[in-house]
Amino acid sequence: MARRWFWSLRPATVREVADAIFANFLLHWFPARMRASSLAWTPTFWLGTVSWVLFVVLLLSGLPLMVFYIPSVEDAYRSVKDIEHVVSFGWWLRAVHRLAAHGMVITTTLHLARVFVTGAYKNAAEGTQRREWNWVIGVAMLFGTLLLSFTGYLLPWDQLAFWAVTVGTGIASSAPAAGAVVRHTLIGGREIGEATLVRFYLLHIIALPLAMAVLFGYHMWRVRKDGGLARGDAADESGDLPSIPPVIRRIAVVTMATVLAVTVLAILIPSPLLEPANPGVTPNPAKAPWYFLWLQEVVADTTVRLGPVHVNGALVGGVVLPLALTVVLTLWPWLDRSPAAAAGVTFARERRVQNAVFLAVALAITALTVVGLMRGPSWGLWWPWESWPSMPTRF
């Protein structure tokens, strides 16, 4: 009886491995056999799996938070305060949700970087492979992750959330002609208020999660159609192994490790909750969310006035630079002329120049983010161990 009901969990033959995969929607994402190197930890660090686990953690932790949260300007802050101090383990659920969101931004970015430096967006063989389109889906998922985090940033409706979103949407509004329209559409008016909160809430709990789930489903289907993990022929001489159950065991290990890490960090790192949002009191400094700090730093550094010459930093940092990077990043699989043999090879010699440029840009963005984190009152630089002086808030 156990064999009849649970044979797919412990297949005894190669035929049963294949049957288990073909009969199961989730397992069908994986080929019946995989190269031994693809099952190792180091080629991918399983960053894609970690990102998906964090997304599921966000969904599971978000559901109970939705029960207690009230998406209105009058009640949002109070409901979050009740979650933090009245609801049993509400503080922990909120911390789990917040840390999972930040972690998903980091792991999704690292996953995309890993795919780039290995050239895994390239087709190693002629035929049905369309890895370049899966790269485009990956870029879309990165931006979806950023939007998920950004829309959730406003929901506590405290000073930190309100002014972070104010700065973030202000950067977007610097685009010529369309900037004001984009900001008006995003926040639902000229100022951040009730319409903004409701729009961000619906985007955060319905539209963006559904879009991310669809993109992930297509992403995994495309990986399956393209033959699994991209590995260069010269770099991989390992044999094939049955993918089930080894891949399931590894996914289970990654899932448990990720959930454990988020659980422990949520106990150690509480979620901030400042005073209620006050549009009439501007904090000093007012910062964008941490993943947009590098853009805010570019805006501040490129705003220059030399006599009659005025460089609009908001246009440079808010429109020109991010748009150029996005276009180049999206189209890079078609711009990369390295040979097919370099596909799936980490830091292949044929791709050393483009990898060096990519890592230089990534390092610059990281450095600008760190500098942005160190900004204090009047946008001055302060070491983490230094105390900020008392500065009057701007009315």
Side-chain angles (χ1 to χ4, degrees), residues 257-389:
T258 303
V259 172
L260 178 62
V262 173
T263 300
V264 173
L265 288 174
I267 297 174
L268 300 176
I269 306 175
S271 297
L273 185 64
L274 304 184
E275 61 273 12
N278 187 347
V281 179
T282 307
N284 186 8
K287 293 185 179 182
W290 67 267
Y291 38 82
F292 291 146
L293 272 179
W294 68 279
L295 289 176
Q296 188 177 8
E297 185 65 29
V298 172
V299 170
D301 295 339
T302 57
T303 302
V304 180
R305 183 184 295 275
L306 297 174
V309 179
H310 178 219
V311 179
N312 187 349
L315 179 61
V316 175
V319 179
V320 176
L321 182 59
L323 182 61
L325 290 177
T326 301
V327 171
V328 172
L329 190 66
T330 304
L331 298 180
W332 195 256
W334 290 274
L335 300 175
D336 185 356
R337 299 299 181 183
S338 58
V345 180
T346 305
F347 295 111
R349 293 182 58 186
E350 298 87 348
R351 303 183 63 255
R352 58 181 179 273
V353 174
Q354 56 186 288
N355 279 337
V357 173
F358 176 84
L359 292 176
V361 172
L363 182 61
I365 291 175
T366 303
L368 289 171
T369 302
V370 172
V371 172
L373 290 171
M374 295 171 59
R375 292 294 187 181
S378 302
W379 210 244
L381 287 173
W382 299 83
W383 293 108
W385 55 83
E386 291 183 312
S387 299
W388 291 356

Side-chain angles (χ1 to χ4, degrees), residues 26-321:
L26 295 178
L27 297 185
H28 193 64
W29 280 342
F30 307 103
R33 301 183 67 83
M34 298 176 65
R35 292 178 177 179
S37 60
S38 297
L39 293 172
W41 298 104
T42 53
T44 66
F45 301 99
W46 293 74
L47 290 168
T49 303
V50 174
S51 299
W52 172 251
V53 172
L54 290 172
F55 179 67
V56 174
V57 170
L58 284 169
L59 294 179
L60 295 179
S61 60
L63 288 175
L65 292 175
M66 287 172 56
V67 175
F68 301 101
Y69 181 74
I70 304 174
S72 72
V73 170
E74 292 78 13
D75 299 315
Y77 180 82
R78 177 180 56 80
S79 64
V80 173
K81 193 171 183 178
D82 287 344
I83 292 172
E84 191 72 26
H85 300 289
V86 178
V87 176
S88 298
F89 297 103
W91 62 271
W92 176 78
L93 274 174
R94 183 166 172 255
V96 165
H97 197 74
R98 172 176 171 269
L99 291 172
H102 293 333
M104 187 175 172
V105 171
I106 295 172
T107 56
T108 303
T109 303
L110 291 176
H111 179 58
L112 199 74
R114 196 280 305 173
V115 173
F116 188 95
V117 299
T118 58
Y121 52 76
K122 293 183 64 64
N123 299 317
E126 297 294 334
T128 60
Q129 286 192 349
R130 296 292 184 271
R131 294 186 186 274
E132 64 273 8
W133 289 110
N134 219 9
W135 167 263
V136 175
I137 294 298
V139 173
M141 292 176 69
L142 173 61
F143 282 100
T145 301
L146 292 173
L147 285 175
L148 264 175
S149 184
F150 185 64
T151 52
Y153 219 92
L154 180 66
L155 302 187
W157 202 251
D158 63 349
Q159 278 288 76
L160 176 65
F162 181 89
W163 287 102
V165 173
T166 299
V167 173
T169 55
I171 293 175
S173 68
S174 59
V181 176
V182 170
R183 184 177 187 274
H184 188 280
T185 303
L186 186 62
I187 69 175
R190 295 183 177 180
E191 298 179 351
I192 295 177
E194 186 78 29
T196 313
L197 184 61
V198 172
R199 290 187 184 204
F200 274 44
Y201 182 66
L202 293 178
L203 284 171
H204 189 70
I205 68 169
I206 299 177
L208 290 173
L210 286 176
M212 289 292 289
V214 171
L215 288 174
F216 176 79
Y218 179 81
H219 184 71
M220 290 301 298
W221 176 80
R222 191 68 256 175
V223 170
R224 177 76 166 83
K225 290 288 289 183
D226 292 336
L229 181 65
R231 297 288 293 167
D233 294 336
D236 190 358
E237 299 177 356
S238 59
D240 288 349
L241 296 173
S243 59
I244 307 298
V247 70
I248 299 300
R249 286 199 295 263
R250 284 159 174 77
I251 290 176
V253 170
V254 172
T255 300
M256 289 187 291
T258 303
V259 172
L260 178 62
V262 173
T263 300
V264 173
L265 288 174
I267 297 174
L268 300 176
I269 306 175
S271 297
L273 185 64
L274 304 184
E275 61 273 12
N278 187 347
V281 179
T282 307
N284 186 8
K287 293 185 179 182
W290 67 267
Y291 38 82
F292 291 146
L293 272 179
W294 68 279
L295 289 176
Q296 188 177 8
E297 185 65 29
V298 172
V299 170
D301 295 339
T302 57
T303 302
V304 180
R305 183 184 295 275
L306 297 174
V309 179
H310 178 219
V311 179
N312 187 349
L315 179 61
V316 175
V319 179
V320 176
L321 182 59

Side-chain angles (χ1 to χ4, degrees), residues 2-3 5-12 16 20 24 27 244-246 248-249:
R3 179 66 178 168
W5 284 99
F6 302 109
W7 66 269
S8 62
L9 297 179
R10 296 183 62 83
E16 287 191 353
N24 189 296
L27 297 185
I244 307 298
I248 299 300
R249 286 199 295 263

